[in-house]
């Protein structure tokens, strides 16, 4: 049973959101194709990153928690992670944005994003010898700057607030993967490659690795969703 642990973490992370996708007041199922396209676009980048860091022993997997099917050096469950977690996050963003007013976020958006990027770049500079810290913080900061100033994404502040709202779920899923409640971690980290600060068992870098992944999923999802909506209107 233990070999199904990572598979079950993915399953329970996504199943409730998937079921509610068909709710008549939500109808997220209309945008499954938009989500699949966006998640595949983004997953390619993160899977390659994951494969390189696994090969470099920045992190590695305890295979007693996986079914043993590998794609290059990654368990199939790790590949599914890049579909299941974005699905739950994009679905939650879709619902919260649909039913709640986040217009107040615009008043603090610039301050919030500038503080995040400044802190990330400062920490990346200080911990430049730690490969995971340097890569995760620099790419996350650059992603925010590119999305805001080049791609003109006007939903970044809202996305960050919703990501914070999602943090209890993140703590559960990533906590399990990093060893909270388990005899040993599913994912192990080389102490020499991250700055060493953890929340429960989760390296702080994981929060920004996840934020970057979700922001790009949202960017492509909103683009493809808009295309789908325009197509319905034309039909």
């Amino acid at each position: 049973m233990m070999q199904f642990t990572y598979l079950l973490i993915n399953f329970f992370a996504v199943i409730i959101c998937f079921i509610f996708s068909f709710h008549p007041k939500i109808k997220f199922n209309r945008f499954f194709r938009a989500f699949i396209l966006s998640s595949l676009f983004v997953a390619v980048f993160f899977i390659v990153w994951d494969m390189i860091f696994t090969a470099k022993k920045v992190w590695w997997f305890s295979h007693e928690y996986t079914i043993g099917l590998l794609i290059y050096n990654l368990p199939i469950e790790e590949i599914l992670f890049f579909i299941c977690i974005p699905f739950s996050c994009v679905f939650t963003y879709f619902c919260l944005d649909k039913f709640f007013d986040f217009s107040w976020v615009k008043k603090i958006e610039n301050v919030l994003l500038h503080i995040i990027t400044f802190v990330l770049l400062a920490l990346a500079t200080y911990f430049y010898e730690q490969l995971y810290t340097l890569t995760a913080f620099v790419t996350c900061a650059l992603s925010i700057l590119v999305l805001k100033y080049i791609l003109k994404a006007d939903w970044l502040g809202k996305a960050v607030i919703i990501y914070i709202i999602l943090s209890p779920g993140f703590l559960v899923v990533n906590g399990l993967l990093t060893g909270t409640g388990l005899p040993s971690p599913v994912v192990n980290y080389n102490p020499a490659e991250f700055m060493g600060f953890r929340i429960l068992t989760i390296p702080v870098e994981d929060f920004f690795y996840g934020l970057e992944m979700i922001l790009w999923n949202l960017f492509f999802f909103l683009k493809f969703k808009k295309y789908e909506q325009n197509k319905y209107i034309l039909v």
Side-chain angles (χ1 to χ4, degrees):
M1 189 65 183
M2 187 172 284
Q3 71 269 28
F4 296 106
T5 301
Y6 196 175
L7 204 58
L8 288 172
I9 290 171
N10 281 329
F11 176 78
F12 285 112
V14 77
I15 186 62
I16 300 299
C17 295
F18 178 76
I19 291 171
F20 274 91
S21 296
F22 299 92
H23 192 286
K25 290 186 177 178
I26 298 175
K27 296 180 179 177
F28 184 72
N29 60 305
R30 292 181 302 162
F31 303 111
F32 276 175
R33 184 163 60 177
F35 169 76
I36 291 169
L37 285 173
S38 64
S39 67
L40 291 178
F41 263 56
V42 180
V44 169
F45 172 80
F46 280 90
I47 288 169
V48 171
W49 179 356
D50 204 345
M51 287 176 170
I52 292 171
F53 272 31
T54 302
K56 287 180 170 293
K57 302 293 184 187
V58 175
W59 55 59
W60 63 94
F61 302 91
S62 297
H63 293 294
E64 65 264 34
Y65 295 114
T66 66
I67 59 175
L69 181 59
L70 298 179
I71 296 180
Y72 184 50
N73 55 7
L74 299 184
I76 188 67
E77 295 89 340
E78 179 73 354
I79 304 292
L80 293 173
F81 175 91
F82 296 107
I83 305 296
C84 295
I85 302 306
F87 183 90
S88 299
C89 292
V90 172
F91 170 81
T92 306
Y93 176 95
F94 179 88
C95 293
L96 291 177
D97 188 42
K98 186 182 182 82
F99 297 114
F100 295 94
D101 179 11
F102 282 93
S103 59
W104 58 272
V105 177
K106 292 302 291 183
K107 296 177 182 174
I108 62 168
E109 180 174 292
N110 284 339
V111 174
L112 178 66
L113 296 178
H114 289 160
I115 288 174
I116 291 173
T117 51
F118 175 78
V119 170
L120 288 176
L121 292 175
L123 288 172
T125 303
Y126 188 79
F127 291 98
Y128 70 94
E129 292 183 327
Q130 281 68 48
L131 184 59
Y132 184 28
T133 308
L134 177 67
T135 311
F137 286 180
V138 168
T139 57
C140 187
L142 289 178
S143 293
I144 291 171
L145 294 174
V146 168
L147 286 165
K148 180 171 179 59
Y149 291 110
I150 297 178
L151 299 174
K152 308 295 183 187
D154 60 357
W155 42 264
L156 285 177
K158 184 167 51 182
V160 171
I161 295 296
I162 291 175
Y163 187 71
I164 293 170
I165 293 172
L166 282 168
S167 59
F170 179 87
L171 288 172
V172 172
V173 171
N174 234 43
L176 286 168
L177 292 175
T178 54
T180 302
L182 295 176
S184 60
V186 178
V187 186
N188 302 271
Y189 294 82
N190 183 343
E193 301 295 1
F194 72 108
M195 61 182 181
F197 300 125
R198 294 177 183 256
I199 297 175
L200 298 176
T201 52
I202 306 167
V204 169
E205 288 84 346
D206 278 10
F207 288 89
F208 297 97
Y209 177 93
L211 174 62
E212 182 182 358
M213 179 174 68
I214 298 311
L215 290 181
W216 283 110
N217 268 279
L218 280 171
F219 173 76
F220 286 110
F221 172 74
L222 294 172
K223 292 287 182 189
F224 292 133
K225 172 175 168 282
K226 187 175 181 180
Y227 171 78
E228 293 278 317
Q229 286 174 320
N230 290 339
K231 190 173 67 174
Y232 289 138
I233 291 170
L234 289 174
V235 170

